[in-house]
Amino acid sequence: MRIVVGRVDEFEPGGRRVVDVGRRSIGVFRVGDRFYAISNHCPHQGGPLCAGRTAPWTHSDGPGSARTGEEHVMLACPWHGWEYELATGRSFLGPTEPPARSYQVSVASGETLDQDLDLRVPGRTPGPYVAETYPVRVEDDYVIVDTTTNAGPGDVDATERTGDRS
């Protein structure tokens, strides 16, 4: 199932939004111009994972050398501080524990959303009768979470879009 979460400009850089879809609670994060989506359930003890702090992953080439980068961001559960990689849901504190569920995120123009029946009316099939309709234009870009697959490396840059804008 693909879920329209909101317009791109509604997410400040570093911002987040938690959405509830059925029984799922999913946090959508904007880090720079990239978007990530992860389950709001900490696999360690069930805490509200998306209420935790985020921090870039720190790398070291040796003593006295440390650097951070936005390519890997960690999310810490507010209950016990267990950290998960935002893009994949992997934890390095309990390597045998299951990862937090991560989801694919895409950005699509409002014009393509209007043409995608699955996003307009999820789970419904159009019938044979057609009422008179009127053209509607949507010009903004929207953030979409896909709950059918795990994210892996599929996080998306806000400048990347799905669908054809021509």
Side-chain angles (χ1 to χ4, degrees):
M1 174 187 293
R2 294 173 58 208
I3 305 153
V4 178
V5 177
R7 293 192 336 247
V8 168
D9 62 2
E10 294 174 340
F11 286 85
E12 297 286 327
R16 69 184 76 176
R17 177 181 293 180
V18 175
V19 295
D20 293 320
V21 181
R23 298 182 343 200
R24 294 183 181 139
S25 180
I26 300 170
V28 180
F29 293 77
R30 182 174 186 170
V31 178
D33 285 333
R34 304 193 75 78
F35 286 92
Y36 303 93
I38 193 166
S39 172
N40 191 25
H41 177 85
C42 177
H44 171 235
Q45 292 283 320
L49 181 59
C50 296
R53 64 176 170 67
T54 58
W57 196 336
T58 303
H59 302 270
S60 176
D61 297 325
S65 169
R67 56 183 161 62
T68 60
E70 276 196 2
E71 67 273 10
H72 297 286
V73 176
M74 303 300 282
L75 171 64
C77 178
W79 282 7
H80 300 106
W82 275 46
E83 295 179 325
Y84 299 88
E85 185 178 31
L86 202 50
T88 65
R90 287 185 308 175
S91 172
F92 299 93
L93 295 177
T96 60
E97 299 291 326
R101 172 92 192 252
S102 59
Y103 300 93
Q104 293 282 336
V105 181
S106 61
V107 174
S109 74
E111 294 169 349
T112 59
L113 294 180
D114 189 45
Q115 299 164 5
D116 191 333
L117 286 177
D118 287 339
L119 289 175
R120 287 174 38 194
V121 189
R124 300 188 75 181
T125 303
Y129 304 107
V130 178
E132 184 177 8
T133 60
Y134 303 93
V136 177
R137 286 185 52 169
V138 180
E139 297 177 347
D140 296 326
D141 292 330
Y142 290 83
V143 177
I144 301 169
V145 173
D146 187 343
T147 61
T148 57
T149 59
N150 282 329
D155 54 87
V156 66
D157 189 300
T159 59
E160 300 172 5
R161 294 187 182 96
T162 60
D164 182 11
R165 297 200 71 186
S166 59

